[in-house]
Amino acid sequence: MKIELLTLYNYRNYIDLNLKLSPNINIFTGFNAQGKTNIIEAIHFSSLGISHRTRNEGDLILWGKNEANINIKFSKMDINSILKIKIKKNTRKELNFNGEIIKQKDLPGLLTMILFSPEDLMLIKGSPLMRRRFIDIELSQISKIYYNELVQYNRLLLQRNNLLKKIRENKNLITMLDTWDEQIAKKASFIVDKRIRGINDLSKLAQKTHYQISQDTEILNIKYNIYNQGNGVLNNFDDLFSFYKNILKKHRDNDIYRGSTSVGPHRDDIDFSINSISLKSFGSQGQQRSAILSLKLAELEFLKAETGEYPVLLLDDVMSELDTNRREKLLSILQDNNVQTLITATDKSLFNIHPKNKFFKVDKGIVSE
């Protein structure tokens, strides 16, 4: 997939930006707070319809304006398309794909991309929520069904939690949980089954890359961890469905007392280990960063295998966080595989002159080659 043209109107600090991108590596340099990350954010927002920096879409609109526009001209499997997004204050955004109005649920998968930001360097040490969000974004880009099932699961979860609170006041409502638990168990089983398969595939790809990065000394393993699984083996949807029906019933009294659902995919986690030793507990900072880099490179191959071509890679201010060897390894892989990449950095000297590198300067919302 390649983005040819990005147009921003009244987005963050951009009044009117028309940016023609190279199909290879695009490097944006400049001082902090000039608008480099805003370009990354706009493209990432176009992929999922959510910002990785704010929950308030009004923050994306230039101060004093009532709406912002993101237009992206891109090619996917050699088919040209145009995606237009209009963000308005105090109302829903408008989405238009090739002249047709679409809904939020239709957006994931149109633009496939991977974001690598400084926050991702905390993926291993950070909260389980970060790791769950990581795999959900990955799978949502290759499967609209997965995205829709995840949305429905979260709605059911909210409704079940509301019912649990009501049961504390009226015990006669407890029989209603049987219906909710059946639906929750089905959605949970579908989601976790897909997550397990996705993590297994990513683990194999990341393991191969990490072995090379570590000069054949470290074996990286990534494993999906089902909350409260115990010693049982859950190999497929049927196993998971039986597990969730039983465990939801087992924890019912506790859930009523807490007023929330204590088991399900919203409680699961992902474990990283090197040579069978936990990276979160015992890995050095260098090992953790190498593992994250291996994971991001694995994402490229994973999405290519699922969609038929590489996604766009967004590297937001992470090059300075990588040492010279990791940085050169990353750029070499991207150049060799013609992965369209957008990189932001404050220091241009981090990059060598290369025929596939296109440099931009960003200064107070003005972008120039």
Side-chain angles (χ1 to χ4, degrees):
M1 199 196 83
K2 306 288 185 183
I3 296 175
E4 179 182 335
L5 183 67
L6 170 67
T7 303
L8 301 178
Y9 296 109
N10 296 331
Y11 183 91
R12 293 285 194 180
N13 68 328
Y14 289 102
I15 299 173
D16 185 358
L17 173 67
N18 286 279
L19 185 60
K20 188 172 183 180
L21 295 172
S22 162
N24 298 303
I25 296 180
N26 302 268
I27 301 169
F28 299 86
T29 62
F31 295 115
N32 289 326
Q34 302 302 304
K36 301 187 301 297
T37 295
N38 295 341
I39 294 173
I40 298 290
E41 179 191 39
I43 295 176
H44 186 260
F45 183 85
S46 303
S47 174
L48 296 168
I50 54 175
S51 169
H52 67 290
R53 301 163 72 195
T54 178
R55 292 186 177 183
N56 182 10
E57 291 183 359
D59 294 342
L60 308 179
I61 302 173
L62 182 67
W63 181 258
K65 302 297 182 179
N66 293 318
E67 66 179 47
N69 292 270
I70 306 171
N71 297 339
I72 296 183
K73 182 179 180 181
F74 67 99
S75 64
K76 189 173 183 180
M77 302 301 289
D78 296 323
I79 298 175
N80 295 325
S81 296
I82 297 177
L83 175 65
K84 297 181 178 181
I85 301 177
K86 182 177 290 185
I87 305 166
K88 299 181 177 181
K89 284 188 176 180
N90 304 318
T91 187
R92 289 184 178 180
K93 57 184 171 288
E94 297 177 5
L95 307 174
N96 187 296
F97 180 62
N98 289 336
E100 299 287 337
I101 296 174
I102 62 172
K103 297 180 180 179
Q104 168 76 33
K105 64 184 180 66
D106 302 317
L107 196 56
L110 296 181
L111 285 164
T112 53
M113 59 190 62
I114 295 168
L115 172 65
F116 189 5
S117 67
E119 291 77 16
D120 289 313
L121 294 171
M122 288 295 296
L123 188 62
I124 293 173
K125 294 181 66 175
S127 71
L129 178 62
M130 290 180 64
R131 293 183 283 277
R132 290 193 298 267
R133 186 173 184 270
F134 151 75
I135 189 59
D136 285 340
I137 289 174
E138 194 78 4
L139 295 176
S140 292
Q141 292 195 83
I142 62 173
S143 173
K144 291 185 184 298
I145 296 175
Y146 180 87
Y147 174 80
N148 291 332
E149 291 288 300
L150 185 64
V151 170
Q152 291 177 37
Y153 173 80
N154 287 328
R155 287 175 181 166
L156 287 170
L157 188 65
L158 179 61
Q159 291 167 333
R160 185 181 192 266
N161 290 344
N162 288 335
L163 177 59
L164 291 169
K165 295 179 178 69
K166 292 178 181 178
I167 292 172
R168 290 188 299 192
E169 306 299 326
N170 183 359
K171 298 297 183 183
N172 293 327
L173 297 175
I174 196 169
T175 56
M176 296 177 63
L177 277 176
D178 291 335
T179 301
W180 288 109
D181 288 359
E182 181 85 6
Q183 296 182 68
I184 287 275
K186 285 182 179 178
K187 300 297 182 186
S189 301
F190 177 88
I191 291 167
V192 173
D193 183 46
K194 295 299 183 184
R195 283 181 179 178
I196 291 172
R197 295 174 187 272
I199 289 297
N200 286 344
D201 289 342
L202 281 167
S203 181
K204 293 174 184 176
L205 293 167
Q207 188 175 99
K208 182 179 179 180
T209 300
H210 191 84
Y211 194 64
Q212 296 173 344
I213 290 177
S214 66
Q215 299 180 335
D216 304 347
T217 62
E218 296 179 348
I219 298 176
L220 172 66
N221 272 303
I222 309 171
K223 182 182 178 182
Y224 190 80
N225 182 16
I226 299 174
Y227 182 76
N228 233 321
Q229 177 181 351
N231 296 321
V233 179
L234 306 174
N235 290 319
N236 52 49
F237 176 89
D238 291 336
D239 290 346
L240 288 163
F241 185 49
S242 177
F243 165 76
Y244 279 117
K245 282 200 300 184
N246 291 332
I247 201 165
L248 283 167
K249 191 170 185 178
K250 179 182 177 181
H251 286 257
R252 181 172 288 186
D253 290 342
N254 183 51
D255 286 355
I256 292 171
Y257 175 77
R258 287 160 42 98
S260 63
T261 304
S262 58
V263 292
H266 61 289
R267 298 296 305 276
D268 294 350
D269 203 353
I270 298 171
D271 296 329
F272 293 78
S273 65
I274 284 182
N275 298 339
S276 300
I277 298 174
S278 170
L279 259 182
K280 183 175 183 179
S281 300
F282 303 104
S284 67
Q285 186 180 66
Q287 285 178 315
Q288 291 174 357
R289 293 190 173 189
S290 291
I292 296 300
L293 177 57
S294 299
L295 178 63
K296 290 298 175 180
L297 293 173
E299 284 186 76
L300 286 174
E301 298 300 331
F302 177 76
L303 287 178
K304 182 188 178 186
E306 294 291 335
T307 65
E309 58 186 352
Y310 284 114
V312 174
L313 179 61
L314 308 174
L315 303 176
D316 185 23
D317 198 28
V318 295
M319 301 304 278
S320 61
E321 302 290 339
L322 302 175
D323 61 33
T324 302
N325 290 333
R326 293 189 186 97
R327 192 163 58 241
E328 291 180 353
K329 174 72 173 179
L330 173 59
L331 288 172
S332 176
I333 290 173
L334 299 177
Q335 290 160 351
D336 290 346
N337 290 284
N338 293 317
V339 178
Q340 187 180 39
T341 308
L342 282 76
I343 304 174
T344 67
T346 55
D347 188 359
K348 186 178 179 180
S349 66
L350 294 173
F351 309 93
N352 294 326
I353 300 299
H354 189 281
K356 291 186 177 180
N357 291 351
K358 184 176 183 179
F359 289 87
F360 298 88
K361 181 181 178 180
V362 183
D363 183 24
K364 297 178 182 177
I366 304 296
V367 182
S368 57
E369 292 187 35

